[in-house]
Amino acid sequence: MKQITILGSTGSIGRNTLEVIKHFPNEFRVFGLSTNSNIRILSDQIKKFFPEVVVVRDTFKAERLKRNINNKIILLGGEDGLIELSGIKVELLVMAISGSAALFPLIKAIETQPMIALANKEALVMAGPLINQKVKETGTKIIPIDSEQSAIWQCLEDRDKSTLKKIYLTASGGPLKDIDKRDFRKISLEKVLNHPCWKMGKKITVDSATLMNKGLELFETMYLFGVDISKIDILIHPEAVIHSMVEFIDGSVLAQLSITDMRIPIQYALSYPKRLRGFLKPLNFIKIKNLTFLKPDLNKFPCLTFAYEAAKAGGTLPVVLNASNEIAVESFLKRRINFSNIPKVIEKVMKLHKNIKKPTLHDIISVHQWARKKAEEVVNNFN
Ligand code: MG
C-alpha cells in the first residue's frame, strides 16, 4: 500500500486525486490532507479516507474544525502546520495547492519526500532553477500531473535527451478561441469559466482563456525536462485528444492521447511505475474523426507573448509575470476588472520591473510581494 499525502485536497486536483484513490483501496492509503480554508469538504474527506494528519491553513477555520473531528486525528493549523505536514515522509506527496502558496511547502517536500506528484506550476515559474538545484541535491523524483507534462514525460521516459529535437506543447485554445478580440472587453466571467474540454479550478480556467496557462506551462516544460525554450513549440489543438508530443532527431514523433479527464494523468502519477486498470471510458476514434492543429494567435492572446519574454529573460521577470497574473485573475474573478484588462495589468508591472538575473529565494519572495502590490495599484487605477 502506497502512503499518500495530498496538499490542497479540497481543490479540483485534490478531489480528483481522492476519486482515483477511492477506486484502488488495495493500492493507496491516505496519510495526510490539507486545505486552505474549505473545512466543509475536508470534513467529508476525513470521514471517507481516515487520514492521520490534516492541516487547515486558515487558523480560525482550523479551530472550528477541531470541535467536529475525532481527537485521534492530528489537526495542524496555519502555514507552520502546512510546512510540518510537507516534512513528514510518505511514499508519495501530491502537490495540488494552486498558485504561489505552493512554493514553501514544495521546497520542504523536496527536502523530505522520495517522490512528489506535482500539479502546481506557479512555484516552478517563480523558482524553477532553485527548485531544480534542490531536486538534484536530494534526488527526489518529480512526477508531473499536468496533462501536457505527463504526456511529455510518458513519451520521453528515460530516453537519451540528446536525441530530442522538439517538444510540441498542445493547447485546446480555451473558451475564447473563436471569439473576436474586440469583444473581449465585455466578455462575461461565466463565459470565461465555461471551458470547452476540461473541468478545472477557477484560476487555471481563467489562465486557459488568456492562454497564460500555456505560458506557465512553457516554464514547466523547460524546468521539468531541462530543455531550452527554442525546442518547445506551442500548438493549438482544439480536440484536446493529443496531450503533447515529442519529436526525436530521426523524425519520429511520439504522442500521448486520452480522453480529457485529469483522473488519467493523476492515476499514472499515483501508480507509477506501475499501470493500473483505468475506470473511465476509453477514447473513441470513430467519434473524434479529425485532429486539427493551429498556430497560437499571439496578437489576440498577449499573455503568451509576455510568458515568452519572461522565459527568455529568466531571473525575476517570471516572478513578476506570475504575481501580476495572480492579482489580475483574482481581480477579474471579483469582477473588479474586465477580461481585456488582465494582460494590461501584467504588461504594466513587467515594464516597471528591474530584472535580477540570479535571484536568491529571498529576492524571489521580495519581488513577488513587490509585483503583487504594484499589480494591485494598477487594478485600482482602472477603477
Ligand atoms: Mg495543462
Side-chain angles (χ1 to χ4, degrees), residues 121 145-149 169-170 198 200 204 208 213-214 217 220 243 262:
K121 39 195 100 157
I145 282 184
D146 191 8
S147 62
E148 295 79 359
Q149 312 305 330
L169 188 60
T170 56
W198 297 95
M200 305 177 289
I204 186 174
S208 297
N213 183 49
K214 217 42 61 176
E217 286 180 6
E220 250 190 315
H243 301 308
M262 282 313 294

PDB file of all heavy atoms in Angstrom, residues 121 145-149 169-170 198 200 204 208 213-214 217 220 243 262, ligand 1:
ATOM      1  N   LYS A 121       2.085  24.691 -11.059  1.00  0.00           N
ATOM      2  CA  LYS A 121       3.096  25.206 -11.977  1.00  0.00           C
ATOM      3  C   LYS A 121       3.692  26.531 -11.515  1.00  0.00           C
ATOM      4  O   LYS A 121       4.816  26.866 -11.850  1.00  0.00           O
ATOM      5  CB  LYS A 121       2.565  25.310 -13.409  1.00  0.00           C
ATOM      6  CG  LYS A 121       1.155  25.781 -13.572  1.00  0.00           C
ATOM      7  CD  LYS A 121       0.599  25.501 -14.969  1.00  0.00           C
ATOM      8  CE  LYS A 121      -0.272  24.281 -15.005  1.00  0.00           C
ATOM      9  NZ  LYS A 121      -1.217  24.203 -16.072  1.00  0.00           N
ATOM     10  N   ILE A 145       1.770  15.994 -12.991  1.00  0.00           N
ATOM     11  CA  ILE A 145       0.333  15.670 -13.072  1.00  0.00           C
ATOM     12  C   ILE A 145      -0.319  16.452 -14.201  1.00  0.00           C
ATOM     13  O   ILE A 145      -1.242  15.967 -14.852  1.00  0.00           O
ATOM     14  CB  ILE A 145      -0.361  15.973 -11.719  1.00  0.00           C
ATOM     15  CG1 ILE A 145      -0.063  14.852 -10.719  1.00  0.00           C
ATOM     16  CG2 ILE A 145      -1.872  16.124 -11.903  1.00  0.00           C
ATOM     17  CD1 ILE A 145      -0.761  14.999  -9.391  1.00  0.00           C
ATOM     18  N   ASP A 146       0.144  17.656 -14.441  1.00  0.00           N
ATOM     19  CA  ASP A 146      -0.411  18.477 -15.522  1.00  0.00           C
ATOM     20  C   ASP A 146      -0.460  17.605 -16.797  1.00  0.00           C
ATOM     21  O   ASP A 146       0.520  16.925 -17.124  1.00  0.00           O
ATOM     22  CB  ASP A 146       0.522  19.678 -15.723  1.00  0.00           C
ATOM     23  CG  ASP A 146      -0.082  20.726 -16.631  1.00  0.00           C
ATOM     24  OD1 ASP A 146      -1.268  20.607 -16.989  1.00  0.00           O
ATOM     25  OD2 ASP A 146       0.651  21.675 -16.994  1.00  0.00           O
ATOM     26  N   SER A 147      -1.594  17.607 -17.480  1.00  0.00           N
ATOM     27  CA  SER A 147      -1.795  16.621 -18.560  1.00  0.00           C
ATOM     28  C   SER A 147      -0.724  16.712 -19.653  1.00  0.00           C
ATOM     29  O   SER A 147      -0.243  15.684 -20.141  1.00  0.00           O
ATOM     30  CB  SER A 147      -3.187  16.780 -19.167  1.00  0.00           C
ATOM     31  OG  SER A 147      -3.320  18.061 -19.738  1.00  0.00           O
ATOM     32  N   GLU A 148      -0.313  17.939 -20.016  1.00  0.00           N
ATOM     33  CA  GLU A 148       0.697  18.100 -21.061  1.00  0.00           C
ATOM     34  C   GLU A 148       2.052  17.564 -20.596  1.00  0.00           C
ATOM     35  O   GLU A 148       2.750  16.878 -21.333  1.00  0.00           O
ATOM     36  CB  GLU A 148       0.860  19.580 -21.457  1.00  0.00           C
ATOM     37  CG  GLU A 148      -0.363  20.201 -22.118  1.00  0.00           C
ATOM     38  CD  GLU A 148      -1.443  20.583 -21.133  1.00  0.00           C
ATOM     39  OE1 GLU A 148      -1.265  20.355 -19.914  1.00  0.00           O
ATOM     40  OE2 GLU A 148      -2.491  21.103 -21.568  1.00  0.00           O
ATOM     41  N   GLN A 149       2.393  17.903 -19.366  1.00  0.00           N
ATOM     42  CA  GLN A 149       3.706  17.481 -18.853  1.00  0.00           C
ATOM     43  C   GLN A 149       3.729  15.971 -18.638  1.00  0.00           C
ATOM     44  O   GLN A 149       4.749  15.319 -18.860  1.00  0.00           O
ATOM     45  CB  GLN A 149       4.058  18.219 -17.554  1.00  0.00           C
ATOM     46  CG  GLN A 149       3.851  19.720 -17.587  1.00  0.00           C
ATOM     47  CD  GLN A 149       4.569  20.425 -18.720  1.00  0.00           C
ATOM     48  OE1 GLN A 149       5.622  19.981 -19.163  1.00  0.00           O
ATOM     49  NE2 GLN A 149       4.010  21.515 -19.202  1.00  0.00           N
ATOM     50  N   LEU A 169       3.990  21.298 -27.364  1.00  0.00           N
ATOM     51  CA  LEU A 169       3.117  21.509 -26.218  1.00  0.00           C
ATOM     52  C   LEU A 169       1.747  21.879 -26.779  1.00  0.00           C
ATOM     53  O   LEU A 169       1.603  22.919 -27.426  1.00  0.00           O
ATOM     54  CB  LEU A 169       3.716  22.657 -25.400  1.00  0.00           C
ATOM     55  CG  LEU A 169       3.154  23.001 -24.044  1.00  0.00           C
ATOM     56  CD1 LEU A 169       3.246  21.826 -23.083  1.00  0.00           C
ATOM     57  CD2 LEU A 169       3.909  24.197 -23.457  1.00  0.00           C
ATOM     58  N   THR A 170       0.754  21.042 -26.567  1.00  0.00           N
ATOM     59  CA  THR A 170      -0.553  21.323 -27.168  1.00  0.00           C
ATOM     60  C   THR A 170      -1.454  22.104 -26.211  1.00  0.00           C
ATOM     61  O   THR A 170      -1.315  22.032 -24.991  1.00  0.00           O
ATOM     62  CB  THR A 170      -1.273  20.037 -27.609  1.00  0.00           C
ATOM     63  OG1 THR A 170      -1.380  19.166 -26.485  1.00  0.00           O
ATOM     64  CG2 THR A 170      -0.527  19.344 -28.728  1.00  0.00           C
ATOM     65  N   TRP A 198     -12.022  20.892 -20.414  1.00  0.00           N
ATOM     66  CA  TRP A 198     -11.560  20.461 -19.099  1.00  0.00           C
ATOM     67  C   TRP A 198     -12.392  21.089 -17.992  1.00  0.00           C
ATOM     68  O   TRP A 198     -12.755  22.257 -18.071  1.00  0.00           O
ATOM     69  CB  TRP A 198     -10.103  20.878 -18.886  1.00  0.00           C
ATOM     70  CG  TRP A 198      -9.114  20.274 -19.817  1.00  0.00           C
ATOM     71  CD1 TRP A 198      -8.641  20.826 -20.969  1.00  0.00           C
ATOM     72  CD2 TRP A 198      -8.461  19.010 -19.684  1.00  0.00           C
ATOM     73  NE1 TRP A 198      -7.724  19.981 -21.532  1.00  0.00           N
ATOM     74  CE2 TRP A 198      -7.589  18.855 -20.780  1.00  0.00           C
ATOM     75  CE3 TRP A 198      -8.514  17.983 -18.732  1.00  0.00           C
ATOM     76  CZ2 TRP A 198      -6.786  17.732 -20.957  1.00  0.00           C
ATOM     77  CZ3 TRP A 198      -7.717  16.872 -18.907  1.00  0.00           C
ATOM     78  CH2 TRP A 198      -6.869  16.750 -20.010  1.00  0.00           C
ATOM     79  N   MET A 200     -11.887  22.353 -14.368  1.00  0.00           N
ATOM     80  CA  MET A 200     -10.736  22.659 -13.506  1.00  0.00           C
ATOM     81  C   MET A 200     -11.098  23.756 -12.511  1.00  0.00           C
ATOM     82  O   MET A 200     -12.203  24.272 -12.515  1.00  0.00           O
ATOM     83  CB  MET A 200      -9.569  23.149 -14.380  1.00  0.00           C
ATOM     84  CG  MET A 200      -9.192  22.192 -15.492  1.00  0.00           C
ATOM     85  SD  MET A 200      -7.890  22.832 -16.556  1.00  0.00           S
ATOM     86  CE  MET A 200      -8.724  24.135 -17.455  1.00  0.00           C
ATOM     87  N   ILE A 204      -7.016  28.431 -12.929  1.00  0.00           N
ATOM     88  CA  ILE A 204      -6.465  27.813 -14.135  1.00  0.00           C
ATOM     89  C   ILE A 204      -7.442  27.940 -15.312  1.00  0.00           C
ATOM     90  O   ILE A 204      -7.019  28.039 -16.464  1.00  0.00           O
ATOM     91  CB  ILE A 204      -6.047  26.339 -13.885  1.00  0.00           C
ATOM     92  CG1 ILE A 204      -5.336  25.763 -15.111  1.00  0.00           C
ATOM     93  CG2 ILE A 204      -7.176  25.467 -13.458  1.00  0.00           C
ATOM     94  CD1 ILE A 204      -4.777  24.376 -14.907  1.00  0.00           C
ATOM     95  N   SER A 208      -6.520  29.585 -18.784  1.00  0.00           N
ATOM     96  CA  SER A 208      -6.710  28.902 -20.068  1.00  0.00           C
ATOM     97  C   SER A 208      -7.342  29.839 -21.092  1.00  0.00           C
ATOM     98  O   SER A 208      -7.040  29.767 -22.282  1.00  0.00           O
ATOM     99  CB  SER A 208      -7.610  27.680 -19.921  1.00  0.00           C
ATOM    100  OG  SER A 208      -7.001  26.757 -19.074  1.00  0.00           O
ATOM    101  N   ASN A 213      -2.102  30.089 -19.134  1.00  0.00           N
ATOM    102  CA  ASN A 213      -1.841  28.718 -18.684  1.00  0.00           C
ATOM    103  C   ASN A 213      -0.765  28.056 -19.547  1.00  0.00           C
ATOM    104  O   ASN A 213       0.138  27.403 -19.039  1.00  0.00           O
ATOM    105  CB  ASN A 213      -3.138  27.900 -18.701  1.00  0.00           C
ATOM    106  CG  ASN A 213      -2.921  26.494 -18.181  1.00  0.00           C
ATOM    107  OD1 ASN A 213      -2.326  26.296 -17.129  1.00  0.00           O
ATOM    108  ND2 ASN A 213      -3.360  25.515 -18.956  1.00  0.00           N
ATOM    109  N   LYS A 214      -0.862  28.257 -20.861  1.00  0.00           N
ATOM    110  CA  LYS A 214       0.150  27.671 -21.751  1.00  0.00           C
ATOM    111  C   LYS A 214       1.491  28.357 -21.538  1.00  0.00           C
ATOM    112  O   LYS A 214       2.536  27.735 -21.612  1.00  0.00           O
ATOM    113  CB  LYS A 214      -0.322  27.777 -23.203  1.00  0.00           C
ATOM    114  CG  LYS A 214       0.014  26.629 -24.108  1.00  0.00           C
ATOM    115  CD  LYS A 214      -0.165  25.232 -23.506  1.00  0.00           C
ATOM    116  CE  LYS A 214      -1.587  24.946 -23.079  1.00  0.00           C
ATOM    117  NZ  LYS A 214      -1.744  23.553 -22.587  1.00  0.00           N
ATOM    118  N   GLU A 217       2.998  26.863 -18.652  1.00  0.00           N
ATOM    119  CA  GLU A 217       3.448  25.507 -19.000  1.00  0.00           C
ATOM    120  C   GLU A 217       4.782  25.516 -19.774  1.00  0.00           C
ATOM    121  O   GLU A 217       5.523  24.536 -19.741  1.00  0.00           O
ATOM    122  CB  GLU A 217       2.363  24.767 -19.786  1.00  0.00           C
ATOM    123  CG  GLU A 217       1.211  24.351 -18.875  1.00  0.00           C
ATOM    124  CD  GLU A 217       0.090  23.618 -19.585  1.00  0.00           C
ATOM    125  OE1 GLU A 217       0.236  23.308 -20.782  1.00  0.00           O
ATOM    126  OE2 GLU A 217      -0.945  23.366 -18.943  1.00  0.00           O
ATOM    127  N   GLU A 220       7.171  25.215 -17.083  1.00  0.00           N
ATOM    128  CA  GLU A 220       7.087  23.848 -16.557  1.00  0.00           C
ATOM    129  C   GLU A 220       7.902  22.896 -17.426  1.00  0.00           C
ATOM    130  O   GLU A 220       8.709  22.110 -16.934  1.00  0.00           O
ATOM    131  CB  GLU A 220       5.627  23.386 -16.628  1.00  0.00           C
ATOM    132  CG  GLU A 220       4.910  23.242 -15.328  1.00  0.00           C
ATOM    133  CD  GLU A 220       3.568  22.549 -15.539  1.00  0.00           C
ATOM    134  OE1 GLU A 220       2.828  22.902 -16.485  1.00  0.00           O
ATOM    135  OE2 GLU A 220       3.257  21.648 -14.756  1.00  0.00           O
ATOM    136  N   HIS A 243      -2.210  15.123 -25.879  1.00  0.00           N
ATOM    137  CA  HIS A 243      -1.899  15.985 -24.735  1.00  0.00           C
ATOM    138  C   HIS A 243      -0.499  16.565 -24.777  1.00  0.00           C
ATOM    139  O   HIS A 243      -0.121  17.311 -23.869  1.00  0.00           O
ATOM    140  CB  HIS A 243      -2.177  15.242 -23.441  1.00  0.00           C
ATOM    141  CG  HIS A 243      -3.601  14.820 -23.361  1.00  0.00           C
ATOM    142  ND1 HIS A 243      -4.639  15.716 -23.549  1.00  0.00           N
ATOM    143  CD2 HIS A 243      -4.179  13.606 -23.239  1.00  0.00           C
ATOM    144  CE1 HIS A 243      -5.782  15.078 -23.485  1.00  0.00           C
ATOM    145  NE2 HIS A 243      -5.546  13.794 -23.311  1.00  0.00           N
ATOM    146  N   MET A 262      -8.713  14.709 -15.918  1.00  0.00           N
ATOM    147  CA  MET A 262      -7.484  14.797 -15.123  1.00  0.00           C
ATOM    148  C   MET A 262      -7.192  13.523 -14.329  1.00  0.00           C
ATOM    149  O   MET A 262      -6.071  13.298 -13.887  1.00  0.00           O
ATOM    150  CB  MET A 262      -7.554  16.000 -14.164  1.00  0.00           C
ATOM    151  CG  MET A 262      -7.294  17.348 -14.810  1.00  0.00           C
ATOM    152  SD  MET A 262      -5.841  17.377 -15.888  1.00  0.00           S
ATOM    153  CE  MET A 262      -4.506  17.125 -14.711  1.00  0.00           C
TER     154      MET A 262
HETATM  155 MG    MG B   1      -2.197  21.616 -18.643  1.00  0.00          MG
END
